[in-house]
């Protein structure tokens, strides 16, 4: 076998692995984004909690945890 053929086969295998990994990452990202959108929609429709209020609460979580840890 020539060296060029071996390099081509290895390059195809690596490209296939990278494509498979990329596909899995995109699939997981879209799944997470859709789940978050559904949760925000349910919160907004069922409880009247908007994205701004949800964002403020998420930002306050680390502050509350830090206050509990430090005792302030």
């Amino acid at each position: 076998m020539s060296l060029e053929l071996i390099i081509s086969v290895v390059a195809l295998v690596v490209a296939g692995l990278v494509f498979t990994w990329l596909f899995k990452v995109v699939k997981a990202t879209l799944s997470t984004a859709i789940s978050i959108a559904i949760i925000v929609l349910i919160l907004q429709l069922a409880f009247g909690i908007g994205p701004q209020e949800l964002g403020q609460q998420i930002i306050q979580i680390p502050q509350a945890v830090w206050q509990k840890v430090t005792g302030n």
Side-chain angles (χ1 to χ4, degrees):
M1 294 182 82
S2 70
L3 184 61
E4 295 165 353
L5 181 61
I6 293 172
I7 291 174
S8 297
V9 170
V10 171
L12 285 173
V13 170
V14 169
L17 291 172
V18 169
F19 179 74
T20 302
W21 172 80
L22 182 64
F23 181 75
K24 288 180 181 179
V25 169
V26 169
K27 183 180 173 184
T29 301
L30 289 176
S31 175
T32 303
I34 290 170
S35 297
I36 291 172
I38 290 171
I39 291 170
V40 170
L41 182 64
I42 290 172
L43 285 172
Q44 191 168 11
L45 293 176
F47 303 107
I49 299 173
Q52 297 292 339
E53 295 166 324
L54 186 61
Q56 290 172 353
Q57 290 298 321
I58 290 172
I59 290 171
Q60 289 177 1
I61 290 172
Q63 295 170 352
V65 170
W66 183 254
Q67 289 176 353
K68 294 286 183 185
V69 169
T70 60
N72 291 336

